Amino acid sequence: MAEVEDQGRKLSEESTDESEEEDTEEEPKLKYERLTNGVTEVLQKDAASCMTVHDKFLALGTHFGKVYLLDIQGNVTQKFEISLVKINQISLDESGDHVGISPSLVVALHPQFSKSNNKQFVTGGNKLLLYERNWLNRWKTSVLHEGEGNITNVKWRANLIAWANNLGVKIYDIGSKQRITNVLRDNTSLRPDMYPCSLCWKNNTTLIIGWGSSVKICVVKERDPTEIRDLPSRYVEIVSAFETEFFISGLAPLADQLVTLYYVKENSEHMEEEFRTRPRLDIIQPLAEGCEEISSDALTVRNFQENQCRDYRLEHSEGESLFYIISPKDIVVAKERDQDDHIDWLLEKKKYEEALMAAEISFKNIKRHDVQKIGMAYINHLVERGDYDAAARKCQKVLGKNMDLWENEVYRFKTIGQLKAISQYLPRGDLRLRPAIYEMILHEFLKTDYEVCFKFAFLLLFLTQGFATLIREWPGELYNNMAIVQAVNEHLKKDPTNSMLLTTLAELYTYDQRYDRALEIYLKLRHKDVYQLIHKHNLFSSIKDKIVLLMDFDKEKAVDMLLDNEDKISMDKVVEELKDRPELLHVYLHKLFKRDHHKGQKYHERQISLYAEFDRPNLLPFLRESMHCPLEKALEICQQRHFVEETVFLLSRMGNCRRALQMIMEELADVDKAIEFAKEQDDRELWEDLISYSIDKPPFITGLLNNIGTHVDPILLIHRIKEGMEIPNLRDSLVKILQDYNLQILLREGCKKILVADSLSLLQRMHRTQKRGVRVDEENICESCHTPILPSDTAQAFGVVVFHCRHKFHKECLPSPGNVPGIQYCNICSAKRRGPGSGILEMKK
């Protein structure tokens, strides 16, 4: 088969401005090929008049009365010379074993002709005749219809025969032997011989009728048995009817859509000059009261200028959705476009991304295309367009595991100066390129970044960021690490203080496991990753002489790291390193003390001076919590620096409370603190000293009156106040003393009531407990005679005594009562406790 030129051009396509980049042309639904080979020679000498299609072969009738059997490629396999007149119609049964041909009539075989016991076929001239072979193997002829002129078309499907004459279309039911409908022709002004009727069965019950410019879709349905009476058991309903713009030459079903072959007149005002008189093949969607055009193609068939509507036929193969457009001098095959055709169209329109996606989705079904080749075409298109980043990104998906293609693309990107674009997408997992590829890219980054920044001083801050990013992201084993280190060192000779290059060099040293060199650079740069490097690679032995540098960089992180790793860097080593930096030593020892008050006890004496020098707010808490610092040394330092609060605390802790109180009153002049101190010590002599010191100071007296009510009798203070002394807020102080006294009385009464209530409650609970019964059974024995406590014959009188201690005795086994009548004691408990009355319990009888 040969492809038909210009078959995909849309008639409805609107002209677009040349400046528009977006192609709005819709993709055609069908593709076309011309039937060639042997059929071309036939049509050069003869003209096609009709054709029928079978899954295995084609049967072609000509104007000179010949019938050719063709294979699917158009090669002639058999030739039959039927007559000298035009072949109007050829009919095949489903098996393809029998062919019905009539030179002057139309003919239709029963679809199951080969398998039917009673073989049947019909012919149509001026009457429709049914031929049936009976059980005697003779042909019987029946007239199904006559009297309405010539029958021009007959189609047989299952038990239904449809035929057309000049008046309309009839349908006959072979099963019930009844004609069930008559569909009248609409376009009566058109000559039936010039615009013949087209019939097509979509399925066993759906008939499609095309006549002139009218289309009707009819469905044969079963009639309700209650409505039959004298009517046929089946009827026809027209489910869709609509008018078309052109004249119908053929119809064929396509799923729920309809394929129509149109004949277009020359004088049509709707068509451009170059399309006039060319037949059209449209796909339409039938609706209840109209249709929707899905696609429309103009066909270039041979000698189309000389053809009329009656010269075209449309036949189809149901199994493969093939549509044959038959004209006198040409046969064109239309077929649904497959995924390869769809990809072809997308590539033609330069829609590479959609083509790649379609190929990936249907990679099992495509035959002519390769997913990777489409991807390469897409990458080439992106490169030509200058979208290098998108092209590089697509390489990951398209090139996959093909390392040869990867290397080719890298060299291509190098040629066009776009290595940076592809660098971030290179393979870096289990599948890798040769190390030389990665080294080439790193050298390119280092060279270009440095040259640009060296020329523009204001960009020095951003020097080699691309290079540094690759070093950080790429595993060190991708390339020769020493070669890159050497290249970086060469650049550092020109710019030795470049922090970005130094950081990158440290990372390279880390990849090469030269951690000491990396640590030196990080400490020099005060880089935040220094602590991570130390922990990750256990570099504590390397930092023993770099503790001051670490502390200068970040005190908190450094101290936490040192304290967390005391087993690797001892406390004594840290103190030794920090001895010349007391402010750093204080930070270390302070955190050590917070973690454990006893671990650094040998340094507590030194810490007193450190706290006094660098952190006085924490000195007093340290003195309170430390149990190991020498108090005399601490007192000496505090007195030298005149730290009153700390001195007061130390004096009180050393037992010199009177001196401490004196300092509070004389140096701090804080009566509240003095009272608080006296309360803490709870010493009557201190209260006496406080009162004696305050008796001639009215503000102190006011403070004492307001606060000592619960510790010292206020009357003692009031008696010692000199007459005539003016005391601020004396009335309020006296009122407060009285309120405090009343409150104490109320508290005592309340406590007394609670005590009495609790005593009564406990007494009642004890009484209830003592009144409870005690279980006595056969297993219990007498604690005196060691025989069962209960006699074997319970009918006899017996006596049992059970004490609260749960010891049980026969009544007769108990000793005589003591001095108190009615009171007995448990011998066992009395002997153990050795106290009179220790075994007193109520006796049970």
Side-chain angles (χ1 to χ4, degrees):
M1 293 186 185
E3 293 187 1
V4 181
E5 297 178 357
D6 299 328
Q7 296 305 318
R9 183 166 182 174
K10 299 288 295 179
L11 294 175
S12 59
E13 179 183 359
E14 298 180 357
S15 60
T16 56
D17 191 277
E18 294 182 357
S19 62
E20 293 184 4
E21 295 183 0
E22 183 179 358
D23 187 358
T24 58
E25 182 181 350
E26 294 182 9
E27 181 181 0
K29 304 296 181 183
L30 302 172
K31 64 178 179 178
Y32 302 88
E33 295 176 344
R34 178 170 281 116
L35 202 62
T36 56
N37 300 329
V39 73
T40 303
E41 298 178 3
V42 172
L43 296 182
Q44 286 176 353
K45 302 175 182 179
D46 204 342
S49 60
C50 63
M51 192 175 80
T52 188
V53 180
H54 191 269
D55 293 342
K56 302 176 182 176
F57 63 91
L58 310 174
L60 175 66
T62 70
H63 281 256
F64 291 170
K66 298 180 178 60
V67 174
Y68 296 89
L69 297 185
L70 313 172
D71 62 15
I72 302 302
Q73 302 300 323
N75 299 304
V76 177
T77 58
Q78 293 187 57
K79 173 184 176 183
F80 302 95
E81 295 189 8
I82 305 300
S83 69
L84 299 177
V85 297
K86 173 183 174 183
I87 303 297
N88 289 323
Q89 186 169 331
I90 302 174
S91 179
L92 295 171
D93 64 357
E94 290 182 354
S95 65
D97 297 331
H98 295 83
V99 183
I101 307 169
S102 177
S104 58
L105 306 174
V106 290
V107 62
L109 292 179
H110 190 287
Q112 297 290 332
F113 187 88
S114 301
K115 301 178 182 179
S116 175
N117 293 328
N118 298 321
K119 299 187 184 328
Q120 299 172 311
F121 67 92
V122 294
T123 61
N126 58 1
K127 62 176 69 175
L128 185 68
L129 298 178
L130 171 65
Y131 294 85
E132 298 178 281
R133 190 184 294 277
N134 59 20
W135 62 281
L136 294 175
N137 203 26
R138 295 178 180 176
W139 288 102
K140 174 186 175 184
T141 306
S142 304
V143 178
L144 300 184
H145 180 72
E146 64 179 336
E148 292 185 352
N150 286 333
I151 294 171
T152 58
N153 198 349
V154 179
K155 295 292 182 181
W156 194 329
R157 181 75 173 241
N159 288 331
L160 298 174
I161 304 173
W163 71 91
N165 57 26
N166 293 343
L167 298 180
V169 177
K170 284 78 176 172
I171 299 178
Y172 184 86
D173 186 356
I174 290 292
S176 63
K177 299 185 182 302
Q178 291 178 307
R179 195 174 75 185
I180 59 177
T181 191
N182 179 22
V183 182
L184 296 177
R185 179 164 67 101
D186 292 333
N187 301 317
T188 56
S189 62
L190 299 175
R191 288 175 53 183
D193 59 330
M194 297 299 293
Y195 299 94
C197 176
S198 297
L199 298 177
C200 174
W201 285 101
K202 181 179 180 180
N203 52 46
N204 289 346
T205 59
T206 304
L207 177 67
I208 305 171
I209 303 172
W211 209 336
S213 59
S214 174
V215 177
K216 293 179 181 178
I217 301 177
C218 308
V219 178
V220 179
K221 298 183 177 181
E222 299 291 336
R223 196 183 299 275
D224 190 337
T226 60
E227 300 178 356
I228 291 179
R229 298 181 183 177
D230 297 330
L231 299 175
S233 61
R234 307 172 87 178
Y235 69 98
V236 172
E237 178 181 344
I238 300 176
V239 295
S240 179
F242 51 89
E243 291 290 325
T244 62
E245 205 174 338
F246 309 104
F247 299 107
I248 298 166
S249 295
L251 297 167
L254 178 62
D256 61 340
Q257 297 172 342
L258 190 62
V259 179
T260 58
L261 177 63
Y262 288 133
Y263 168 74
V264 183
K265 282 189 175 182
E266 290 184 2
N267 60 356
S268 174
E269 298 178 356
H270 300 281
M271 305 305 300
E272 298 177 7
E273 186 68 27
E274 61 177 308
F275 290 110
R276 287 180 183 172
T277 73
R278 298 207 308 178
R280 279 178 39 167
L281 193 69
D282 286 12
I283 299 176
I284 61 176
Q285 179 68 57
L287 305 173
E289 298 180 357
C291 66
E292 178 184 355
E293 182 183 289
I294 305 301
S295 71
S296 179
D297 297 328
L299 308 180
T300 304
V301 298
R302 295 189 181 99
N303 298 339
F304 66 86
Q305 299 89 344
E306 303 173 4
N307 296 336
Q308 300 292 326
C309 183
R310 65 182 177 181
D311 295 324
Y312 294 107
R313 299 285 182 92
L314 179 63
E315 297 293 337
H316 74 285
S317 173
E318 297 181 2
E320 300 181 20
S321 296
L322 298 176
F323 304 93
Y324 294 83
I325 299 94
I326 301 100
S327 66
K329 292 298 181 181
D330 204 358
I331 299 175
V332 176
V333 184
K335 60 177 68 175
E336 287 189 279
R337 295 170 63 85
D338 57 18
Q339 197 66 9
D340 283 295
D341 299 316
H342 175 58
I343 294 172
D344 282 335
W345 186 83
L346 291 172
L347 293 175
E348 180 185 347
K349 300 301 177 183
K350 297 184 185 262
K351 299 181 178 182
Y352 294 98
E353 186 170 11
E354 295 177 27
L356 181 60
M357 186 180 301
E360 289 172 341
I361 293 173
S362 306
F363 72 96
K364 292 183 179 179
N365 299 324
I366 57 177
K367 300 175 182 178
R368 294 186 286 105
H369 289 285
D370 179 73
V371 174
Q372 193 168 68
K373 290 182 179 179
I374 296 173
M376 290 301 300
Y378 185 23
I379 292 172
N380 294 336
H381 171 70
L382 292 171
V383 170
E384 292 172 2
R385 204 172 66 182
D387 195 350
Y388 303 111
D389 186 71
R393 186 166 56 251
K394 281 297 173 186
C395 287
Q396 275 188 315
K397 187 176 185 180
V398 173
L399 304 183
K401 300 178 181 180
N402 193 324
M403 295 298 107
D404 293 334
L405 286 179
W406 265 111
E407 292 196 6
N408 291 338
E409 286 303 305
V410 171
Y411 283 115
R412 178 166 75 156
F413 274 73
K414 175 179 174 57
T415 304
I416 61 178
Q418 292 296 327
L419 274 179
K420 290 187 177 181
I422 201 172
S423 63
Q424 57 184 317
Y425 304 109
L426 292 182
R428 61 185 76 170
D430 295 335
L431 294 173
R432 297 173 180 177
L433 305 177
R434 291 181 296 111
I437 301 295
Y438 300 100
E439 293 170 20
M440 176 182 69
I441 294 174
L442 288 172
H443 280 290
E444 181 71 16
F445 267 78
L446 185 59
K447 177 183 177 182
T448 56
D449 286 349
Y450 183 83
E451 288 178 353
V452 170
C453 296
F454 192 74
K455 292 178 181 178
F456 302 98
F458 61 90
L459 290 177
L460 284 175
L461 183 62
F462 306 101
L463 175 62
T464 63
Q465 284 193 355
F467 175 75
T469 300
L470 290 185
I471 294 297
R472 194 174 300 113
E473 293 179 353
W474 284 1
E477 58 269 18
L478 287 179
Y479 47 86
N480 185 343
N481 192 65
M482 291 305 300
I484 304 302
V485 168
Q486 184 177 356
V488 174
N489 279 322
E490 289 297 322
H491 282 283
L492 280 172
K493 290 179 181 178
K494 303 175 185 178
D495 187 11
T497 61
N498 187 286
S499 60
M500 187 65 71
L501 277 177
L502 287 170
T503 302
T504 306
L505 183 61
E507 292 175 356
L508 290 169
Y509 281 139
T510 301
Y511 296 151
D512 203 31
Q513 298 184 359
R514 290 190 284 177
Y515 303 119
D516 291 346
R517 302 290 298 274
L519 184 61
E520 289 178 6
I521 295 175
Y522 278 138
L523 287 173
K524 178 180 178 181
L525 296 176
R526 302 170 67 90
H527 197 278
K528 60 182 179 61
D529 290 341
V530 64
Y531 297 103
Q532 181 181 353
L533 181 71
I534 294 170
H535 281 287
K536 185 175 181 180
H537 302 290
N538 195 22
L539 303 180
F540 296 100
S541 59
S542 302
I543 65 170
K544 290 181 179 179
D545 57 345
K546 300 178 177 64
I547 294 175
V548 174
L549 292 176
L550 289 170
M551 292 283 286
D552 283 335
F553 176 33
D554 190 326
K555 299 181 182 65
E556 298 298 324
K557 282 188 177 181
V559 170
D560 288 337
M561 181 187 69
L562 294 170
L563 292 178
D564 291 338
N565 297 274
E566 285 187 56
D567 55 329
K568 299 165 185 171
I569 301 179
S570 67
M571 178 177 57
D572 295 336
K573 176 62 177 175
V574 176
V575 173
E576 177 67 22
E577 287 293 316
L578 298 177
K579 64 181 180 181
D580 296 329
R581 295 291 299 277
E583 73 280 7
L584 300 180
L585 179 60
H586 165 68
V587 174
Y588 174 77
L589 292 176
H590 174 65
K591 278 211 168 188
L592 175 64
F593 179 75
K594 286 296 183 182
R595 291 196 179 191
D596 190 332
H597 291 351
H598 308 287
K599 185 172 290 186
Q601 56 181 298
K602 62 181 177 179
Y603 300 111
H604 283 197
E605 180 176 351
R606 183 184 299 185
Q607 279 187 269
I608 300 172
S609 300
L610 294 175
Y611 275 112
E613 180 70 24
F614 303 107
D615 190 10
R616 184 191 170 184
N618 282 313
L619 174 58
L620 184 57
F622 171 74
L623 296 174
R624 292 182 185 277
E625 296 171 11
S626 173
M627 303 300 295
H628 309 286
C629 66
L631 299 181
E632 294 82 1
K633 179 66 175 179
L635 180 61
E636 179 184 351
I637 293 173
C638 291
Q639 287 177 339
Q640 288 175 355
R641 295 178 177 269
H642 200 63
F643 292 166
V644 178
E645 293 186 14
E646 291 80 354
T647 303
V648 168
F649 168 75
L650 291 171
L651 288 173
S652 63
R653 188 169 173 182
M654 295 171 69
N656 195 351
C657 297
R658 301 187 71 176
R659 173 59 183 155
L661 179 63
Q662 182 181 356
M663 287 190 67
I664 294 174
M665 293 186 295
E666 293 179 353
E667 299 191 30
L668 296 180
D670 190 341
V671 64
D672 294 328
K673 187 178 289 291
I675 294 171
E676 187 66 28
F677 181 78
K679 289 180 179 179
E680 290 177 1
Q681 304 301 322
D682 195 20
D683 186 345
R684 189 172 186 82
E685 292 184 358
L686 283 181
W687 281 111
E688 182 65 30
D689 291 342
L690 180 57
I691 293 173
S692 299
Y693 179 81
S694 305
I695 200 65
D696 58 347
K697 300 176 180 63
F700 276 50
I701 293 176
T702 301
L704 287 172
L705 290 174
N706 291 334
N707 292 281
I708 68 171
T710 56
H711 293 76
V712 179
D713 188 354
I715 300 299
L716 297 176
L717 175 61
I718 294 172
H719 282 317
R720 296 178 63 177
I721 298 174
K722 297 178 181 180
E723 293 185 7
M725 179 179 289
E726 185 175 346
I727 300 174
N729 302 318
L730 177 61
R731 185 183 63 182
D732 296 338
S733 299
L734 294 176
V735 169
K736 186 177 184 304
I737 290 173
L738 294 175
Q739 289 175 343
D740 291 344
Y741 178 76
N742 289 333
L743 179 61
Q744 290 182 20
I745 296 300
L746 291 174
L747 288 173
R748 289 179 181 178
E749 292 180 352
C751 291
K752 181 179 179 181
K753 290 179 179 180
I754 293 172
L755 181 62
V756 171
D758 287 348
S759 300
L760 179 60
S761 175
L762 292 172
L763 180 61
Q764 290 174 344
R765 183 186 300 177
M766 184 184 71
H767 184 255
R768 287 194 302 270
T769 301
Q770 292 181 347
K771 288 175 63 178
R772 290 177 182 172
V774 178
R775 179 182 177 85
V776 178
D777 52 30
E778 296 176 352
E779 296 179 357
N780 299 123
I781 61 174
C782 175
E783 298 293 343
S784 178
C785 65
H786 302 292
T787 60
I789 197 70
L790 297 177
S792 57
D793 185 7
T794 56
Q796 298 179 0
F798 65 91
V800 175
V801 176
V802 181
F803 292 94
H804 287 305
C805 59
R806 297 301 184 265
H807 290 136
K808 304 173 183 63
F809 297 90
H810 292 126
K811 188 175 181 180
E812 57 271 15
C813 294
L814 282 174
S816 58
N819 298 330
V820 183
I823 298 300
Q824 289 184 317
Y825 301 94
C826 172
N827 295 342
I828 297 173
C829 294
S830 298
K832 288 180 179 179
R833 298 180 184 178
R834 302 173 183 268
S838 59
I840 298 178
L841 291 173
E842 182 180 354
M843 184 177 65
K844 303 289 185 180
K845 294 184 180 181

